[in-house]
DNA sequence: CTTATGCTTCGATTAAGGTCGAACCATGAA
DNA sequence: TTCATGGTTCGACCTTAATCGAAGCATAAG
């Protein structure tokens, strides 16, 4: 009578209102802290912590620690697919994406974060590299694939030289405004440096804003398409 | 906090073990009576009746009365799609049933997913149709090309008749074992039905396994080559 | 009619788990 | 160091709902 995987356990995880609210909020793709998710779900932090550890044990979330904050995001896009399907069943349609109002447009768009690119374009860079299979996220590490190495070499970035340095080549970094991953590590720094060399972008010295030229932005979008 | 459709309620419906068992059995596409589903789920008929009315209220089932029997089947292939997705999550999260019996191998090879072909051969069918240009995936829809329509017509499948029905002709369904797309929708059902008519394959009545004959498999592989 | 079968409803029991207060642990700041 | 903050663990309370016995309907057969 029982064939295949046990869907009851996973479905029961999603089936609790508080947990479902958390998952729905995380559909935005952002990573949120325990406190924020507690607020969204309308429960106390203790309760939220319990829920989140259960969701995590069920493989639905991906946790990341940064300082004394703990960020949670959906484990994979497959999770998002299933959630979307459930929404479809629940109401047929009408899923609304919430968007935070842009405060400082330029800072949100592109800025420097420890010498690598952050903000909207930073996450686009990261997502595009992931989507094209140039980066692969394993259990703990972010790895540059062979295809990715060739891709980077085409940009005239000395990958082997970077590999010789003791600093990690690829690292994920979570930034404040987007709450999503972008590429840090020596490769992240090399990317930004290369963008400056190519005159695609330059940094504003007074602020952390990175200004892309018209043609630079075009080239960037061509090389790192959003749905890549 | 109540934004969008309530996925908690629908997920909670699937989240009960007894109900999940019933839904899993119904993935075969067959319509079953209350008694049969009670048997499958391992509960009494009263309990099953209660569960089934809840699933029905949730829009997951389609009931049909025939004499003093009441038959239930899945409400739509969208329900099956979500269930398959949940199976994928469950299989990936380590909640997979450890005992990898011979039945699991057969299930992975070829099985029924709401009356269409799933498993290894299901994805082969899909990939081959895509590779030969018979199917095209647009932004939202999966479309049968003119060449594809001719190809299907050669198989003595009445495409125009299927098009007249309100059910979608082509649809993607994500496979839990393969984690890839296979063909659902009325065309997917028509394919499997045709395979049975041609005596290429037959369904195991107790499980969701689809058994291909030697010559049937050969013909299948000739018509839908892996690299096609 | 009577009888049998398939299913539903009602009610009581019982097990599961969501919830929060309080205490505890870990990290960062002063 | 001390203090503040974000998160976890523990324990007790309490709501929810799964379960089945028993009775009630409905349909079909004799």
């Amino acid at each position: 009578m029982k064939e295949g995987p046990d869907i009851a356990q996973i479905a029961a995880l999603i089936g609790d209102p508080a947990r479902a609210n958390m998952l729905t909020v995380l559909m935005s793709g952002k990573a949120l802290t325990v406190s924020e998710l507690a607020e969204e779900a309308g429960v106390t932090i203790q309760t939220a912590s319990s829920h989140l550890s259960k969701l995590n044990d069920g493989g639905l979330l991906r946790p990341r620690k940064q300082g004394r904050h703990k960020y949670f995001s959906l484990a994979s896009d497959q999770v998002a697919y299933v959630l979307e399907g459930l929404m479809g069943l629940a109401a047929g349609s009408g899923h609304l994406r919430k968007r935070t109002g842009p405060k400082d447009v330029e800072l949100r768009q592109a800025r420097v974060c420890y010498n690598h690119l952050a903000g909207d374009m930073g996450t686009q860079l990261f997502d595009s590299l992931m989507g094209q299979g140039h980066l692969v996220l394993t259990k703990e590490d972010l790895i540059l694939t062979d295809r990715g190495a060739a891709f980077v070499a085409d940009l005239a970035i000395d990958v082997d030289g970077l590999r010789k340095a003791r600093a990690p080549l690829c690292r994920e970094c979570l930034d404040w405004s987007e709450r999503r991953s972008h590429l840090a590590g020596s490769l992240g720094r090399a990317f930004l440096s290369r963008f400056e060399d190519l005159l695609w972008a330059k940094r504003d010295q007074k602020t952390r804003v990175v200004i892309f030229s018209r043609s630079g932005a075009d080239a960037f979008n061509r090389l790192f398409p959003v749905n890549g």
Side-chain angles (χ1 to χ4, degrees), chain A:
Chain A
M1 79 181 157
K2 292 177 187 171
E3 352 172 313
D6 183 12
I7 64 173
Q9 226 140 9
I10 294 292
L13 278 179
I14 310 174
D16 177 77
R19 288 194 291 259
N21 280 333
M22 295 176 180
L23 291 170
T24 300
V25 172
L26 289 174
M27 286 281 284
S28 69
K30 291 186 177 180
L32 297 174
T33 66
V34 177
S35 314
E36 290 167 330
L37 288 166
E39 165 95 291
E40 291 287 347
V43 294
T44 63
I45 299 179
Q46 309 95 283
T47 305
S49 178
S50 166
H51 284 315
L52 289 169
S53 76
K54 283 173 186 172
L55 288 172
N56 189 43
D57 291 344
L60 298 183
L61 298 183
R62 189 160 63 93
R64 269 169 296 179
K65 257 194 187 162
Q66 194 149 311
R68 51 183 168 184
H69 294 268
K70 191 170 184 182
Y71 288 91
F72 283 99
S73 55
L74 295 185
S76 65
D77 50 358
Q78 198 192 354
V79 175
Y81 286 150
V82 171
L83 293 177
E84 205 151 305
L86 283 169
M87 286 182 179
L89 287 185
S93 63
H95 44 82
L96 48 101
R97 295 272 158 95
K98 49 179 288 192
R99 190 169 300 174
T100 50
K103 277 183 185 175
D104 196 326
V105 181
E106 289 181 328
L107 268 179
R108 283 187 170 295
Q109 173 108 31
R111 68 177 179 280
V112 170
C113 166
Y114 280 56
N115 279 330
H116 58 257
L117 188 62
D120 209 6
M121 298 186 72
T123 58
Q124 178 179 337
L125 169 65
F126 180 82
D127 292 343
S128 187
L129 287 172
M130 290 286 287
Q132 293 178 39
H134 296 151
L135 289 178
V136 167
L137 185 64
T138 68
K139 187 138 192 165
E140 279 294 316
D141 296 321
L142 190 63
I143 293 176
L144 184 69
T145 63
D146 291 342
R147 269 183 62 201
F151 177 82
V152 171
D154 279 346
L155 259 175
I157 290 177
D158 178 18
V159 192
D160 294 328
L162 295 176
R163 280 218 170 90
K164 288 198 180 76
R166 56 182 180 141
L169 183 65
C170 302
R171 217 168 56 89
E172 268 184 294
C173 184
L174 210 56
D175 73 45
W176 248 119
S177 66
E178 287 299 310
R179 300 288 179 85
R180 297 176 62 176
S181 290
H182 58 245
L183 182 62
S186 60
L187 182 61
R189 285 193 286 280
F191 264 122
L192 178 55
S193 174
R194 187 68 185 134
F195 296 157
E196 292 178 279
D197 289 346
L198 289 168
L199 298 179
W200 288 5
K202 68 177 169 57
R203 307 189 195 182
D204 183 26
Q205 294 299 340
K206 300 274 292 181
T207 69
R208 296 164 58 192
V209 172
V210 173
I211 306 162
F212 273 74
S213 68
R214 172 69 189 265
S215 58
D218 288 344
F220 181 92
N221 284 322
R222 209 157 41 236
L223 206 55
F224 309 105
V226 265
N227 59 348

PDB file of all heavy atoms in Angstrom, chain A residues 85-109:
ATOM      1  N   GLY A  85       2.782  25.299  -6.770  1.00  0.00           N
ATOM      2  CA  GLY A  85       1.740  24.351  -7.141  1.00  0.00           C
ATOM      3  C   GLY A  85       0.649  24.274  -6.100  1.00  0.00           C
ATOM      4  O   GLY A  85      -0.540  24.241  -6.421  1.00  0.00           O
ATOM      5  N   LEU A  86       1.060  24.276  -4.836  1.00  0.00           N
ATOM      6  CA  LEU A  86       0.078  24.252  -3.760  1.00  0.00           C
ATOM      7  C   LEU A  86      -0.778  25.512  -3.776  1.00  0.00           C
ATOM      8  O   LEU A  86      -1.980  25.463  -3.538  1.00  0.00           O
ATOM      9  CB  LEU A  86       0.787  24.129  -2.411  1.00  0.00           C
ATOM     10  CG  LEU A  86       1.304  22.731  -2.070  1.00  0.00           C
ATOM     11  CD1 LEU A  86       2.222  22.764  -0.862  1.00  0.00           C
ATOM     12  CD2 LEU A  86       0.143  21.795  -1.811  1.00  0.00           C
ATOM     13  N   MET A  87      -0.151  26.631  -4.066  1.00  0.00           N
ATOM     14  CA  MET A  87      -0.921  27.877  -4.172  1.00  0.00           C
ATOM     15  C   MET A  87      -1.938  27.766  -5.291  1.00  0.00           C
ATOM     16  O   MET A  87      -3.065  28.242  -5.159  1.00  0.00           O
ATOM     17  CB  MET A  87       0.023  29.043  -4.454  1.00  0.00           C
ATOM     18  CG  MET A  87       0.840  29.459  -3.256  1.00  0.00           C
ATOM     19  SD  MET A  87       1.883  30.882  -3.621  1.00  0.00           S
ATOM     20  CE  MET A  87       2.673  31.107  -2.027  1.00  0.00           C
ATOM     21  N   GLY A  88      -1.500  27.150  -6.389  1.00  0.00           N
ATOM     22  CA  GLY A  88      -2.413  26.966  -7.504  1.00  0.00           C
ATOM     23  C   GLY A  88      -3.608  26.133  -7.106  1.00  0.00           C
ATOM     24  O   GLY A  88      -4.744  26.452  -7.454  1.00  0.00           O
ATOM     25  N   LEU A  89      -3.357  25.085  -6.362  1.00  0.00           N
ATOM     26  CA  LEU A  89      -4.452  24.245  -5.909  1.00  0.00           C
ATOM     27  C   LEU A  89      -5.338  24.999  -4.930  1.00  0.00           C
ATOM     28  O   LEU A  89      -6.556  24.847  -4.946  1.00  0.00           O
ATOM     29  CB  LEU A  89      -3.906  22.989  -5.225  1.00  0.00           C
ATOM     30  CG  LEU A  89      -3.284  21.926  -6.120  1.00  0.00           C
ATOM     31  CD1 LEU A  89      -2.918  20.712  -5.283  1.00  0.00           C
ATOM     32  CD2 LEU A  89      -4.253  21.532  -7.210  1.00  0.00           C
ATOM     33  N   ALA A  90      -4.719  25.796  -4.080  1.00  0.00           N
ATOM     34  CA  ALA A  90      -5.487  26.473  -3.037  1.00  0.00           C
ATOM     35  C   ALA A  90      -6.433  27.513  -3.615  1.00  0.00           C
ATOM     36  O   ALA A  90      -7.525  27.708  -3.121  1.00  0.00           O
ATOM     37  CB  ALA A  90      -4.547  27.118  -2.034  1.00  0.00           C
ATOM     38  N   ALA A  91      -6.020  28.188  -4.656  1.00  0.00           N
ATOM     39  CA  ALA A  91      -6.861  29.274  -5.141  1.00  0.00           C
ATOM     40  C   ALA A  91      -6.932  29.388  -6.652  1.00  0.00           C
ATOM     41  O   ALA A  91      -7.647  30.235  -7.150  1.00  0.00           O
ATOM     42  CB  ALA A  91      -6.364  30.597  -4.580  1.00  0.00           C
ATOM     43  N   GLY A  92      -6.235  28.566  -7.359  1.00  0.00           N
ATOM     44  CA  GLY A  92      -6.271  28.658  -8.804  1.00  0.00           C
ATOM     45  C   GLY A  92      -5.237  29.618  -9.324  1.00  0.00           C
ATOM     46  O   GLY A  92      -4.505  29.307 -10.236  1.00  0.00           O
ATOM     47  N   SER A  93      -5.159  30.749  -8.747  1.00  0.00           N
ATOM     48  CA  SER A  93      -4.135  31.707  -9.138  1.00  0.00           C
ATOM     49  C   SER A  93      -4.115  32.834  -8.130  1.00  0.00           C
ATOM     50  O   SER A  93      -4.815  32.814  -7.145  1.00  0.00           O
ATOM     51  CB  SER A  93      -4.422  32.261 -10.534  1.00  0.00           C
ATOM     52  OG  SER A  93      -5.642  32.967 -10.521  1.00  0.00           O
ATOM     53  N   GLY A  94      -3.295  33.811  -8.406  1.00  0.00           N
ATOM     54  CA  GLY A  94      -3.275  34.978  -7.534  1.00  0.00           C
ATOM     55  C   GLY A  94      -2.242  34.926  -6.449  1.00  0.00           C
ATOM     56  O   GLY A  94      -2.536  35.158  -5.286  1.00  0.00           O
ATOM     57  N   HIS A  95      -1.031  34.560  -6.817  1.00  0.00           N
ATOM     58  CA  HIS A  95       0.055  34.630  -5.851  1.00  0.00           C
ATOM     59  C   HIS A  95       0.700  35.998  -5.968  1.00  0.00           C
ATOM     60  O   HIS A  95       1.049  36.444  -7.050  1.00  0.00           O
ATOM     61  CB  HIS A  95       1.092  33.544  -6.103  1.00  0.00           C
ATOM     62  CG  HIS A  95       1.442  33.380  -7.527  1.00  0.00           C
ATOM     63  ND1 HIS A  95       2.358  34.188  -8.152  1.00  0.00           N
ATOM     64  CD2 HIS A  95       0.980  32.535  -8.453  1.00  0.00           C
ATOM     65  CE1 HIS A  95       2.443  33.817  -9.410  1.00  0.00           C
ATOM     66  NE2 HIS A  95       1.619  32.822  -9.631  1.00  0.00           N
ATOM     67  N   LEU A  96       0.844  36.661  -4.869  1.00  0.00           N
ATOM     68  CA  LEU A  96       1.401  38.007  -4.933  1.00  0.00           C
ATOM     69  C   LEU A  96       2.808  38.029  -4.349  1.00  0.00           C
ATOM     70  O   LEU A  96       3.094  37.468  -3.308  1.00  0.00           O
ATOM     71  CB  LEU A  96       0.502  39.003  -4.193  1.00  0.00           C
ATOM     72  CG  LEU A  96       0.019  38.645  -2.800  1.00  0.00           C
ATOM     73  CD1 LEU A  96       0.830  39.359  -1.739  1.00  0.00           C
ATOM     74  CD2 LEU A  96      -1.451  38.992  -2.672  1.00  0.00           C
ATOM     75  N   ARG A  97       3.652  38.667  -5.100  1.00  0.00           N
ATOM     76  CA  ARG A  97       5.028  38.840  -4.672  1.00  0.00           C
ATOM     77  C   ARG A  97       5.129  40.166  -3.953  1.00  0.00           C
ATOM     78  O   ARG A  97       4.709  41.189  -4.481  1.00  0.00           O
ATOM     79  CB  ARG A  97       5.957  38.832  -5.884  1.00  0.00           C
ATOM     80  CG  ARG A  97       5.982  37.512  -6.599  1.00  0.00           C
ATOM     81  CD  ARG A  97       7.040  36.616  -5.973  1.00  0.00           C
ATOM     82  NE  ARG A  97       6.749  35.227  -6.260  1.00  0.00           N
ATOM     83  CZ  ARG A  97       7.291  34.578  -7.287  1.00  0.00           C
ATOM     84  NH1 ARG A  97       8.111  35.202  -8.064  1.00  0.00           N
ATOM     85  NH2 ARG A  97       7.010  33.321  -7.484  1.00  0.00           N
ATOM     86  N   LYS A  98       5.708  40.145  -2.768  1.00  0.00           N
ATOM     87  CA  LYS A  98       5.872  41.420  -2.091  1.00  0.00           C
ATOM     88  C   LYS A  98       7.251  41.987  -2.408  1.00  0.00           C
ATOM     89  O   LYS A  98       8.228  41.267  -2.608  1.00  0.00           O
ATOM     90  CB  LYS A  98       5.687  41.281  -0.587  1.00  0.00           C
ATOM     91  CG  LYS A  98       6.450  40.170   0.057  1.00  0.00           C
ATOM     92  CD  LYS A  98       6.200  40.169   1.547  1.00  0.00           C
ATOM     93  CE  LYS A  98       6.881  41.339   2.243  1.00  0.00           C
ATOM     94  NZ  LYS A  98       6.882  41.191   3.694  1.00  0.00           N
ATOM     95  N   ARG A  99       7.273  43.271  -2.461  1.00  0.00           N
ATOM     96  CA  ARG A  99       8.517  43.925  -2.821  1.00  0.00           C
ATOM     97  C   ARG A  99       8.756  45.073  -1.850  1.00  0.00           C
ATOM     98  O   ARG A  99       7.847  45.826  -1.540  1.00  0.00           O
ATOM     99  CB  ARG A  99       8.416  44.444  -4.254  1.00  0.00           C
ATOM    100  CG  ARG A  99       9.727  44.940  -4.818  1.00  0.00           C
ATOM    101  CD  ARG A  99       9.571  45.171  -6.301  1.00  0.00           C
ATOM    102  NE  ARG A  99       9.207  43.939  -7.011  1.00  0.00           N
ATOM    103  CZ  ARG A  99       8.901  43.921  -8.285  1.00  0.00           C
ATOM    104  NH1 ARG A  99       8.876  45.028  -8.971  1.00  0.00           N
ATOM    105  NH2 ARG A  99       8.610  42.781  -8.870  1.00  0.00           N
ATOM    106  N   THR A 100       9.951  45.170  -1.380  1.00  0.00           N
ATOM    107  CA  THR A 100      10.269  46.253  -0.466  1.00  0.00           C
ATOM    108  C   THR A 100      10.487  47.538  -1.250  1.00  0.00           C
ATOM    109  O   THR A 100      11.061  47.534  -2.322  1.00  0.00           O
ATOM    110  CB  THR A 100      11.541  45.929   0.328  1.00  0.00           C
ATOM    111  OG1 THR A 100      12.547  45.519  -0.595  1.00  0.00           O
ATOM    112  CG2 THR A 100      11.285  44.822   1.316  1.00  0.00           C
ATOM    113  N   GLY A 101      10.000  48.613  -0.731  1.00  0.00           N
ATOM    114  CA  GLY A 101      10.135  49.891  -1.408  1.00  0.00           C
ATOM    115  C   GLY A 101      11.588  50.343  -1.465  1.00  0.00           C
ATOM    116  O   GLY A 101      12.314  50.252  -0.479  1.00  0.00           O
ATOM    117  N   PRO A 102      12.011  50.777  -2.627  1.00  0.00           N
ATOM    118  CA  PRO A 102      13.408  51.186  -2.771  1.00  0.00           C
ATOM    119  C   PRO A 102      13.678  52.500  -2.045  1.00  0.00           C
ATOM    120  O   PRO A 102      13.011  53.488  -2.275  1.00  0.00           O
ATOM    121  CB  PRO A 102      13.566  51.346  -4.283  1.00  0.00           C
ATOM    122  CG  PRO A 102      12.190  51.609  -4.782  1.00  0.00           C
ATOM    123  CD  PRO A 102      11.238  50.950  -3.844  1.00  0.00           C
ATOM    124  N   LYS A 103      14.635  52.475  -1.161  1.00  0.00           N
ATOM    125  CA  LYS A 103      14.977  53.698  -0.424  1.00  0.00           C
ATOM    126  C   LYS A 103      16.054  54.454  -1.189  1.00  0.00           C
ATOM    127  O   LYS A 103      15.825  55.492  -1.753  1.00  0.00           O
ATOM    128  CB  LYS A 103      15.480  53.352   0.977  1.00  0.00           C
ATOM    129  CG  LYS A 103      14.369  53.117   1.978  1.00  0.00           C
ATOM    130  CD  LYS A 103      14.957  52.861   3.353  1.00  0.00           C
ATOM    131  CE  LYS A 103      13.857  52.496   4.343  1.00  0.00           C
ATOM    132  NZ  LYS A 103      14.398  52.121   5.650  1.00  0.00           N
ATOM    133  N   ASP A 104      17.205  53.846  -1.165  1.00  0.00           N
ATOM    134  CA  ASP A 104      18.279  54.475  -1.914  1.00  0.00           C
ATOM    135  C   ASP A 104      18.520  53.673  -3.171  1.00  0.00           C
ATOM    136  O   ASP A 104      19.124  52.607  -3.147  1.00  0.00           O
ATOM    137  CB  ASP A 104      19.543  54.514  -1.054  1.00  0.00           C
ATOM    138  CG  ASP A 104      20.561  55.479  -1.625  1.00  0.00           C
ATOM    139  OD1 ASP A 104      20.624  55.592  -2.861  1.00  0.00           O
ATOM    140  OD2 ASP A 104      21.269  56.103  -0.835  1.00  0.00           O
ATOM    141  N   VAL A 105      17.992  54.180  -4.265  1.00  0.00           N
ATOM    142  CA  VAL A 105      17.951  53.415  -5.504  1.00  0.00           C
ATOM    143  C   VAL A 105      19.344  53.010  -5.962  1.00  0.00           C
ATOM    144  O   VAL A 105      19.585  51.851  -6.303  1.00  0.00           O
ATOM    145  CB  VAL A 105      17.253  54.225  -6.613  1.00  0.00           C
ATOM    146  CG1 VAL A 105      17.201  53.421  -7.892  1.00  0.00           C
ATOM    147  CG2 VAL A 105      15.862  54.629  -6.179  1.00  0.00           C
ATOM    148  N   GLU A 106      20.252  53.937  -5.930  1.00  0.00           N
ATOM    149  CA  GLU A 106      21.594  53.636  -6.436  1.00  0.00           C
ATOM    150  C   GLU A 106      22.293  52.588  -5.588  1.00  0.00           C
ATOM    151  O   GLU A 106      22.940  51.685  -6.108  1.00  0.00           O
ATOM    152  CB  GLU A 106      22.427  54.920  -6.481  1.00  0.00           C
ATOM    153  CG  GLU A 106      22.003  55.890  -7.562  1.00  0.00           C
ATOM    154  CD  GLU A 106      22.900  57.124  -7.556  1.00  0.00           C
ATOM    155  OE1 GLU A 106      23.362  57.510  -6.475  1.00  0.00           O
ATOM    156  OE2 GLU A 106      23.132  57.678  -8.639  1.00  0.00           O
ATOM    157  N   LEU A 107      22.152  52.709  -4.285  1.00  0.00           N
ATOM    158  CA  LEU A 107      22.791  51.737  -3.403  1.00  0.00           C
ATOM    159  C   LEU A 107      22.202  50.356  -3.588  1.00  0.00           C
ATOM    160  O   LEU A 107      22.901  49.350  -3.536  1.00  0.00           O
ATOM    161  CB  LEU A 107      22.636  52.163  -1.944  1.00  0.00           C
ATOM    162  CG  LEU A 107      23.762  53.007  -1.363  1.00  0.00           C
ATOM    163  CD1 LEU A 107      23.448  53.367   0.078  1.00  0.00           C
ATOM    164  CD2 LEU A 107      25.078  52.250  -1.429  1.00  0.00           C
ATOM    165  N   ARG A 108      20.897  50.310  -3.814  1.00  0.00           N
ATOM    166  CA  ARG A 108      20.254  49.016  -4.020  1.00  0.00           C
ATOM    167  C   ARG A 108      20.697  48.400  -5.334  1.00  0.00           C
ATOM    168  O   ARG A 108      20.820  47.199  -5.448  1.00  0.00           O
ATOM    169  CB  ARG A 108      18.739  49.179  -4.039  1.00  0.00           C
ATOM    170  CG  ARG A 108      18.124  49.355  -2.665  1.00  0.00           C
ATOM    171  CD  ARG A 108      16.614  49.318  -2.808  1.00  0.00           C
ATOM    172  NE  ARG A 108      15.925  49.248  -1.550  1.00  0.00           N
ATOM    173  CZ  ARG A 108      15.990  48.233  -0.707  1.00  0.00           C
ATOM    174  NH1 ARG A 108      16.757  47.207  -0.985  1.00  0.00           N
ATOM    175  NH2 ARG A 108      15.314  48.223   0.413  1.00  0.00           N
ATOM    176  N   GLN A 109      20.907  49.245  -6.314  1.00  0.00           N
ATOM    177  CA  GLN A 109      21.249  48.759  -7.651  1.00  0.00           C
ATOM    178  C   GLN A 109      22.622  48.101  -7.675  1.00  0.00           C
ATOM    179  O   GLN A 109      22.756  46.945  -8.065  1.00  0.00           O
ATOM    180  CB  GLN A 109      21.239  49.936  -8.635  1.00  0.00           C
ATOM    181  CG  GLN A 109      21.750  49.593 -10.017  1.00  0.00           C
ATOM    182  CD  GLN A 109      20.636  49.552 -11.017  1.00  0.00           C
ATOM    183  OE1 GLN A 109      19.650  50.260 -10.893  1.00  0.00           O
ATOM    184  NE2 GLN A 109      20.764  48.697 -12.006  1.00  0.00           N
TER     185      GLN A 109
END
